[in-house]
Amino acid sequence: MAKTKPSIPKGTRDFGPEQMVRRNFIFDTIRNVFGKYGYMPIETPAMENLTTLLGKYGEEGDKLLFKILNSGDFIDKVDPTLLKPGNSNAISLEICEKGLRYDLTVPFARFVVQYQNEIVFPFKRYQIQPVWRADRPQKGRYREFYQCDVDVIGSNSLTNEAELVLIINEVFEKLNIRTLLKLNNRKILSGIADFIGHADKLIDITIAIDKIEKIGIEAVNAELRERGLDDVAIGKLQPIIQLQGSNEEKLAILKEVLSTSPIGMKGIEEMEELFRYIGAWGNLSTTVELDLSLARGLNYYTGAIFEVKALDAEIGSICGGGRYDDLTGIFGLENVSGVGVSFGADRIYDVMLQLNLFPDSLSSTTQVMFANFGPQEIAYCMPAARKIREAGVSVEIYPDPAKVKKQFEYANRRKIKFMVIAGESELQAKQLSVKNMETGVQETITFENIVEYIKSKL
Amino acid sequence: MAKTKPSIPKGTRDFGPEQMVRRNFIFDTIRNVFGKYGYMPIETPAMENLTTLLGKYGEEGDKLLFKILNSGDFIDKVDPTLLKPGNSNAISLEICEKGLRYDLTVPFARFVVQYQNEIVFPFKRYQIQPVWRADRPQKGRYREFYQCDVDVIGSNSLTNEAELVLIINEVFEKLNIRTLLKLNNRKILSGIADFIGHADKLIDITIAIDKIEKIGIEAVNAELRERGLDDVAIGKLQPIIQLQGSNEEKLAILKEVLSTSPIGMKGIEEMEELFRYIGAWGNLSTTVELDLSLARGLNYYTGAIFEVKALDAEIGSICGGGRYDDLTGIFGLENVSGVGVSFGADRIYDVMLQLNLFPDSLSSTTQVMFANFGPQEIAYCMPAARKIREAGVSVEIYPDPAKVKKQFEYANRRKIKFMVIAGESELQAKQLSVKNMETGVQETITFENIVEYIKSKL
């Protein structure tokens, strides 16, 4: 066997202990909040059948699926005339049946349909698992990354949206990240398109609204003209592009402008109800703002749209989602409405690292280390180590009777707070010496009192 | 887009909420114990380069690797003369660069070598992640399953083995599984082979030892003869095959028999030191037994070998491992000794389910549900729901103002303990009614006292 220079596939990452402790802090926080709102965990396999995945993410998405090669004599089953350059796509479908999941949404839809007879609806689930995309790797974009999805399916009620707002608020409050939550509603956007007679220009309109603060009204209007809107439509759009004020003021203006669009008015009504519920929660740390430029996943969402930005870091959205009305239709279960959001754990990690928001208590794992002076001494220490662990304290025994200097160095690099020392004199006196590695203070304790002593000092 | 009948690849599984809660109980228990012994978490990518994986698991293992098809025009890069039936293996290496990890051991070795300059040795790590094998699926054998590995690398000391025994003891004590821990030592086995002059027959010998209780000494000897051992060798083996008594008694006999084999005597010495440490821990719930028939991973382990069986369930081993002396050599880092064990989460799950060992407290997630009588009533409830959650209680709000019967049914199926009811009369009186769904008792509480009331009843 040849020696292999160790490396990992591009776009993937190893996580060492320090990163793991921080990542787990984020995951645990999110998981605890989800649980407190009655959402229940599920997990699906890393591999799904390609029939489940293909065609769900558009043509571009299909290309980004990682496909798994069939086992055995896969090539024997391919029509030999297919086997030639330029045919990669067709061949891939002959030699691969499975792919790695691309997101958690499609597996969730598949799950709901597959187990529809066992599930109690409305079904509230969360799912925290990695996903894989054959994207070109770049800073902050990975080929393997975690998604943290929370969805409720089988209920149209806007209390679900209101609960999600509270979940978002609580997660980021617990993580100490100041956030802005942008809200929009697909029905309001449809109403706007109706009203100006350009249903096909929805994306252009939201892009224009998004740019108003940066480039000003003249430039926005010029751009809209370039994008094919006529002057009548642009004229009608003016009060919407220049919409300002509080959420209530914005909704009041929209109500006047869109009064002739039933779908627009429905969207406004939904938004008003949602804001009423949000008001009922009491004070939130996150700022909630109606933002008509918010258009993520437009061909997918049918009602509320959510997006969260960190206020103190320059980074894309750290959480987003919305309401969809036909997620499960593709698998044969029609007319089931759902709403959910996804937290971007990797970006949240980057924000917290940049803003130094991880608690200091996360940095160290082991609290007490027993120094090793040989087999006899260490056997003497073992019952004490066991008793301290039983008290819930993390303890390690330095495995080798190495030089004391080396053992101290190890304890320091691992940031271990207490070193327990038991040499010949301690053995004879039935004692243990405990050194506080931060202060340098060393005390001698009887064997019986070691647990109480350590607990009192931690 | 065609409708797809939902299914998952054979050998893979979905986990619903009930399974997830139980699985997380197992993982959390294992993780907490590992942490208390100073082991630190790492994670590696699901995909490794095939150069990392190939040749590490034998020819059979190579066939069981799931390979990931290269993206883009993969077929254009293959020599066209290769592209014909019968050539699957050669082609697979041309069109795949990556594979799914097959275990956690090889990625760990790769990790240690790759980051050797940053790691503080001895390096104590644990890793709990899924692995994938293209095995033929059957009852209890899956193509995706979790491994929970704990290893220390960079230390020869037997205190590490002793710590692993205590970890095994504590994990299964916490999971309430009665276990037998079998111990062996590769050096003793080598000594036996030395002594009878049949180094090549090590596996045959351990199989024979394993069968003595079932088929008796005559049949075992006959089988050894069939397997090519001569009468002299079989004669020499008799005291070893018929080894009985306490661990101390067995070691005493072995010491006499193997007195001329330096490697055998070294193994006995190691075993004696390990038993001394195990004795120093104090009472253990797991029974520890020297078992010479234990030979797992024989071409891999160099010292101690561990295997754990559940006493009250008919199932294979639920934990196993041993010491290895050249795990990282394949990646260019020589002479680093390590020892570790792997817990089989899926089998542990099966044992606990079969023996009904999961705590009852795991069964339900949400503790309190607010019934929904309409937008106004639910807005009234929202601040109360928020306050109860802030007290750490899981709460959900039934999203739709559905018929009361339907809401009760939902609460019952979800096994929710308390239902909070706020209709018109409660709103006017600034009260809330709380129904205990188990006893049927319903009480009326003032809005201010709801948190205290719920906390006192849980």
Side-chain angles (χ1 to χ4, degrees):
Chain A
M1 289 186 286
K3 300 255 183 293
T4 320
K5 198 187 167 222
S7 67
I8 50 176
K10 62 180 176 177
T12 69
R13 293 165 292 170
D14 287 312
F15 298 111
E18 206 173 349
Q19 290 158 301
M20 281 298 297
V21 169
R22 289 173 178 159
R23 288 172 64 85
N24 284 340
F25 176 72
I26 294 173
F27 292 132
D28 289 344
T29 301
I30 291 175
R31 192 178 291 123
N32 283 334
V33 173
F34 289 171
K36 262 173 50 180
Y37 288 76
Y39 286 84
M40 298 176 297
I42 71 161
E43 279 186 11
T44 61
M47 301 186 281
E48 293 274 353
N49 292 320
L50 278 178
T51 49
T52 300
L53 300 174
L54 284 168
K56 309 303 188 298
Y57 308 105
E59 215 174 304
E60 202 45 46
D62 281 356
K63 284 191 196 145
L64 299 183
L65 292 174
F66 280 112
K67 301 190 182 82
I68 315 265
L69 191 65
N70 293 343
S71 303
D73 299 324
F74 62 87
I75 210 73
D76 301 9
K77 289 155 197 159
V78 184
D79 175 354
T81 63
L82 264 183
L83 290 173
K84 55 188 179 200
N87 253 354
S88 290
N89 199 32
I91 295 169
S92 74
L93 300 178
E94 300 285 319
I95 62 177
C96 298
E97 282 169 5
K98 297 178 285 290
L100 293 179
R101 71 174 159 251
Y102 178 90
D103 68 4
L104 303 178
T105 308
V106 166
F108 173 51
R110 194 261 311 143
F111 183 98
V112 169
V113 178
Q114 195 169 335
Y115 306 103
Q116 54 184 295
N117 298 322
E118 294 131 67
I119 287 173
V120 188
F121 290 96
F123 181 50
K124 303 172 82 174
R125 88 85 172 79
Y126 70 84
Q127 190 169 358
I128 300 179
Q129 289 191 282
V131 302
W132 294 270
R133 296 182 185 179
D135 248 325
R136 190 176 298 278
Q138 57 185 58
K139 192 181 178 305
R141 191 199 282 167
Y142 305 101
R143 293 184 147 191
E144 174 181 64
F145 58 96
Y146 269 76
Q147 292 193 331
C148 312
D149 280 22
V150 59
D151 291 82
V152 49
I153 195 157
S155 160
N156 292 305
S157 166
L158 288 161
T159 59
N160 297 304
E161 276 85 339
E163 291 263 272
L164 289 172
V165 170
L166 201 56
I167 285 175
I168 289 167
N169 181 71
E170 187 166 339
V171 164
F172 291 115
E173 199 171 272
K174 290 227 154 72
L175 295 177
N176 223 356
I177 302 175
R178 296 199 318 131
T179 51
L180 168 67
L181 166 59
K182 296 180 181 183
L183 288 182
N184 199 2
N185 189 302
R186 167 63 199 254
K187 295 189 180 83
I188 297 180
L189 294 179
S190 296
I192 295 170
D194 261 12
F195 163 69
I196 64 162
H198 275 286
D200 56 320
K201 296 282 188 245
L202 217 42
I203 296 291
D204 301 291
I205 295 166
T206 56
I207 291 171
I209 297 172
D210 194 37
K211 287 189 175 169
I212 180 78
E213 277 183 36
K214 269 172 258 160
I215 64 175
I217 185 68
E218 291 309 321
V220 163
N221 287 340
E223 200 178 312
L224 285 170
R225 211 166 285 124
E226 256 172 59
R227 286 168 185 266
L229 264 73
D230 57 44
D231 285 345
V232 178
I234 293 174
K236 282 178 144 186
L237 261 184
Q238 294 308 298
I240 290 162
I241 298 176
Q242 302 191 56
L243 202 64
Q244 275 183 344
S246 69
N247 295 325
E248 291 71 24
E249 288 164 345
K250 286 179 183 170
L251 284 171
I253 295 167
L254 283 172
K255 232 171 174 169
E256 275 182 41
V257 178
L258 300 183
S259 60
T260 57
S261 161
I263 188 151
M265 290 307 282
K266 174 79 179 135
I268 292 167
E269 208 176 280
E270 287 184 8
M271 197 60 100
E272 284 178 332
E273 185 176 342
L274 178 54
F275 275 117
R276 261 202 310 282
Y277 289 142
I278 295 172
W281 288 130
N283 288 332
L284 302 183
S285 350
T286 191
T287 310
V288 184
E289 190 182 285
L290 170 61
D291 182 346
L292 289 183
S293 73
L294 184 61
R296 45 183 300 147
L298 205 53
N299 51 6
Y300 176 69
Y301 293 127
T302 53
I305 306 173
F306 300 87
E307 189 168 274
V308 181
K309 297 253 180 201
L311 287 178
D312 303 314
E314 287 280 331
I315 201 162
S317 82
I318 53 177
C319 175
R323 177 169 288 276
Y324 39 84
D325 279 346
D326 197 24
L327 182 70
T328 56
I330 186 73
F331 298 115
L333 183 65
E334 309 279 356
N335 298 321
V336 183
S337 184
V339 60
V341 296
S342 182
F343 290 77
D346 290 289
R347 284 196 179 160
I348 291 172
Y349 183 96
D350 290 345
V351 169
M352 292 184 69
L353 200 65
Q354 189 189 323
L355 301 178
N356 202 16
L357 298 180
F358 288 107
D360 290 339
S361 57
L362 293 181
S363 62
S364 173
T365 44
T366 304
Q367 294 160 295
V368 177
M369 184 183 110
F370 281 74
N372 190 330
F373 293 99
Q376 206 185 337
E377 287 83 354
I378 217 65
Y380 167 79
C381 289
M382 280 178 170
R386 188 178 181 190
K387 277 201 296 178
I388 299 171
R389 281 178 181 138
E390 277 166 4
V393 178
S394 63
V395 174
E396 58 186 286
I397 292 174
Y398 193 82
D400 301 284
K403 285 193 180 134
V404 177
K405 189 171 168 247
K406 193 177 171 191
Q407 298 192 40
F408 268 78
E409 223 173 76
Y410 173 87
N412 280 327
R413 287 188 67 185
R414 290 284 314 281
K415 291 178 187 142
I416 292 169
K417 191 167 175 191
F418 290 104
M419 175 103 111
V420 180
I421 297 153
E424 211 179 320
S425 59
E426 280 90 356
L427 254 72
Q428 278 175 0
K430 282 245 155 213
Q431 291 178 332
L432 294 160
S433 292
V434 183
K435 183 168 183 132
N436 183 322
M437 300 293 284
E438 287 163 8
T439 64
V441 174
Q442 182 167 328
E443 294 190 82
T444 303
I445 317 294
T446 65
F447 200 89
E448 284 70 34
N449 290 332
I450 184 70
V451 178
E452 283 315 306
Y453 177 82
I454 293 283
K455 276 172 70 179
S456 73
K457 295 290 177 180
L458 280 172
Chain B
M1 289 187 283
K3 302 256 183 290
T4 320
K5 194 183 170 226
S7 67
I8 51 177
K10 62 180 176 178
T12 69
R13 292 165 293 170
D14 288 311
F15 298 111
E18 207 172 350
Q19 290 159 301
M20 282 298 297
V21 169
R22 288 173 179 161
R23 286 172 65 85
N24 284 340
F25 175 72
I26 294 172
F27 291 132
D28 289 344
T29 301
I30 291 176
R31 192 179 290 123
N32 283 334
V33 173
F34 289 170
K36 261 173 52 181
Y37 287 75
Y39 286 84
M40 298 176 297
I42 71 161
E43 279 186 10
T44 61
M47 301 187 280
E48 294 274 352
N49 292 321
L50 278 178
T51 49
T52 300
L53 300 174
L54 284 168
K56 308 305 187 298
Y57 307 104
E59 216 173 302
E60 202 45 45
D62 282 356
K63 284 190 197 147
L64 300 184
L65 293 174
F66 280 112
K67 302 190 182 79
I68 314 266
L69 191 66
N70 293 343
S71 303
D73 299 323
F74 63 88
I75 211 72
D76 300 12
K77 289 154 198 158
V78 184
D79 175 355
T81 63
L82 263 184
L83 291 173
K84 55 188 177 200
N87 252 354
S88 291
N89 200 31
I91 295 169
S92 75
L93 300 177
E94 300 285 319
I95 62 177
C96 298
E97 282 170 5
K98 298 178 285 289
L100 294 179
R101 71 176 157 248
Y102 178 90
D103 68 3
L104 303 178
T105 307
V106 167
F108 174 52
R110 193 261 312 143
F111 183 98
V112 168
V113 178
Q114 195 170 335
Y115 306 103
Q116 56 184 292
N117 297 322
E118 295 131 67
I119 287 173
V120 187
F121 290 96
F123 181 48
K124 303 172 82 174
R125 88 86 171 79
Y126 71 85
Q127 190 168 357
I128 300 179
Q129 289 192 280
V131 301
W132 295 269
R133 296 182 185 179
D135 248 324
R136 189 175 300 276
Q138 57 185 60
K139 190 177 180 307
R141 191 198 283 166
Y142 305 103
R143 294 185 145 191
E144 173 180 64
F145 58 97
Y146 268 76
Q147 292 193 331
C148 311
D149 279 23
V150 59
D151 291 83
V152 50
I153 195 158
S155 161
N156 293 303
S157 167
L158 288 161
T159 58
N160 298 304
E161 276 85 341
E163 291 263 271
L164 289 173
V165 170
L166 201 56
I167 286 175
I168 289 168
N169 180 71
E170 188 166 340
V171 164
F172 291 115
E173 199 171 274
K174 290 228 153 75
L175 295 177
N176 223 356
I177 301 175
R178 296 200 318 131
T179 51
L180 167 67
L181 166 58
K182 296 180 180 183
L183 288 181
N184 199 0
N185 190 302
R186 166 62 197 254
K187 295 189 181 82
I188 297 180
L189 293 179
S190 297
I192 295 170
D194 261 11
F195 163 67
I196 64 162
H198 275 287
D200 56 320
K201 295 284 189 243
L202 217 42
I203 295 291
D204 301 291
I205 295 166
T206 56
I207 292 173
I209 298 173
D210 194 35
K211 287 189 175 171
I212 180 78
E213 278 184 36
K214 268 172 257 158
I215 63 175
I217 185 70
E218 290 309 320
V220 163
N221 287 340
E223 199 177 314
L224 285 170
R225 213 165 284 123
E226 255 173 59
R227 286 168 185 268
L229 264 74
D230 57 46
D231 285 345
V232 179
I234 292 174
K236 283 178 143 184
L237 261 184
Q238 295 307 299
I240 291 163
I241 297 176
Q242 302 192 53
L243 202 65
Q244 276 183 343
S246 69
N247 296 324
E248 291 70 24
E249 288 164 344
K250 287 179 183 170
L251 284 171
I253 296 168
L254 283 172
K255 232 172 175 167
E256 276 181 42
V257 178
L258 300 183
S259 61
T260 58
S261 161
I263 188 152
M265 290 307 281
K266 174 80 181 135
I268 292 167
E269 208 177 281
E270 286 184 8
M271 197 60 99
E272 285 178 331
E273 185 176 342
L274 179 53
F275 275 118
R276 261 201 310 281
Y277 290 142
I278 295 172
W281 288 130
N283 288 331
L284 302 184
S285 351
T286 191
T287 310
V288 184
E289 189 182 286
L290 170 60
D291 182 346
L292 290 183
S293 73
L294 185 61
R296 45 184 299 147
L298 206 53
N299 51 5
Y300 176 70
Y301 294 127
T302 53
I305 307 174
F306 300 87
E307 189 168 273
V308 181
K309 297 252 180 202
L311 287 178
D312 304 313
E314 287 280 331
I315 202 163
S317 82
I318 53 177
C319 175
R323 178 170 288 277
Y324 40 85
D325 278 347
D326 196 24
L327 182 71
T328 56
I330 187 72
F331 298 115
L333 184 65
E334 310 279 356
N335 298 320
V336 182
S337 185
V339 60
V341 294
S342 182
F343 289 78
D346 290 289
R347 284 197 179 160
I348 292 173
Y349 182 96
D350 289 345
V351 168
M352 292 184 68
L353 201 63
Q354 190 190 321
L355 301 177
N356 202 15
L357 298 179
F358 287 108
D360 290 338
S361 56
L362 293 180
S363 62
S364 173
T365 45
T366 304
Q367 295 160 294
V368 177
M369 183 183 110
F370 281 75
N372 190 330
F373 293 99
Q376 207 185 337
E377 287 83 354
I378 216 66
Y380 167 80
C381 289
M382 280 177 169
R386 188 178 181 191
K387 277 201 296 178
I388 299 170
R389 282 178 181 137
E390 276 165 6
V393 179
S394 64
V395 174
E396 57 187 285
I397 292 174
Y398 193 82
D400 301 284
K403 284 190 181 137
V404 177
K405 186 169 170 251
K406 193 176 170 191
Q407 299 192 39
F408 268 79
E409 222 173 77
Y410 173 87
N412 280 328
R413 287 188 67 184
R414 290 285 314 282
K415 291 177 188 142
I416 293 169
K417 191 167 175 191
F418 290 104
M419 174 103 111
V420 180
I421 297 152
E424 210 178 322
S425 61
E426 280 90 356
L427 254 72
Q428 278 176 358
K430 281 245 155 215
Q431 291 178 331
L432 293 161
S433 293
V434 182
K435 182 169 183 129
N436 183 322
M437 301 293 284
E438 287 163 10
T439 63
V441 174
Q442 181 167 330
E443 295 189 80
T444 303
I445 318 293
T446 65
F447 199 88
E448 285 71 33
N449 291 331
I450 185 69
V451 179
E452 284 315 307
Y453 176 82
I454 293 284
K455 277 173 69 179
S456 73
K457 296 290 177 180
L458 280 172

